[in-house]
Amino acid sequence: SDWLQCGWFGCPVVPGSRPSPMELPPGAGLPPLRALGAVSICAVPLAVALSRSKPLEQGRVLGISVVTGCCAAIFWIWALLNCQQHFDLGAVTFAIALVASAVGMSASAGDGSASRARLFRCLGPVACLLVAVNFFLGLIIIAKPWTLRLYFILSFGWWLLAGALSLEFAVPLEASLEVVYSDSGTVDLLVDEP
């Protein structure tokens, strides 16, 4: 086949005739929109399974961290591939979202600490907001096709919701963690059970 994947959101083009970002073919945006839906659908059951045995506060942070981490990982790789042909801001913003999800997973671990929960409370929502802003910039820059704009709009909303949930879940986790220093100088974690 003489069709190749170009760097512009998986749109097929004939070799040697890549479109500019302003000349995207119809249907551009559908592959990443499908990917967002598929990764989200697969990540939620994984998050539920991993957080099931955790206390509520830890489970919620672990869950949102797993879902955002899975989505960020897939789209970070996609953005890195795009960077072979043009700069993609997603290579930066999705990397930050990956770090935030790792912090959230660490904060919700059995040996989590209030300082990690505090870091996630700040970093989680900010990382999601940065990704959302990236999609908003795409809306400003690219007018056609409508399928790409739809992808930008839905992704913008997805990441805003993820940021709001990150903040909503991190605040009670941070409040529930108390660090007690033992005689040996190690840190022990106490989680207040409801």
Side-chain angles (χ1 to χ4, degrees), residues 78-191:
W78 198 321
L80 289 177
L81 293 173
N82 283 344
C83 283
Q84 293 175 350
Q85 298 178 359
H86 62 85
F87 177 71
D88 186 332
L89 186 58
V92 176
T93 59
F94 286 122
I96 295 168
L98 272 171
V99 169
S101 68
V103 169
M105 288 180 216
S106 174
S108 62
D111 62 345
S113 70
S115 63
R116 278 184 256 160
R118 192 172 309 110
L119 178 59
F120 178 73
R121 178 178 49 84
C122 298
L123 186 58
V126 168
C128 292
L129 181 61
L130 288 173
V131 174
V133 166
N134 187 16
F135 285 110
F136 184 76
L137 290 174
L139 276 170
I140 292 171
I141 294 169
I142 297 176
K144 292 181 183 179
W146 70 269
T147 52
L148 185 57
R149 293 184 57 80
L150 176 64
Y151 163 63
F152 288 155
I153 291 167
L154 293 176
S155 296
F156 174 77
W158 193 102
W159 284 98
L160 279 181
L161 177 61
L165 290 175
S166 294
L167 181 60
E168 177 73 19
F169 297 160
V171 170
L173 176 63
E174 181 185 358
S176 73
L177 297 176
E178 293 179 20
V179 178
V180 177
Y181 293 89
S182 67
D183 293 335
S184 67
T186 60
V187 178
D188 298 319
L189 172 71
L190 297 177
V191 178

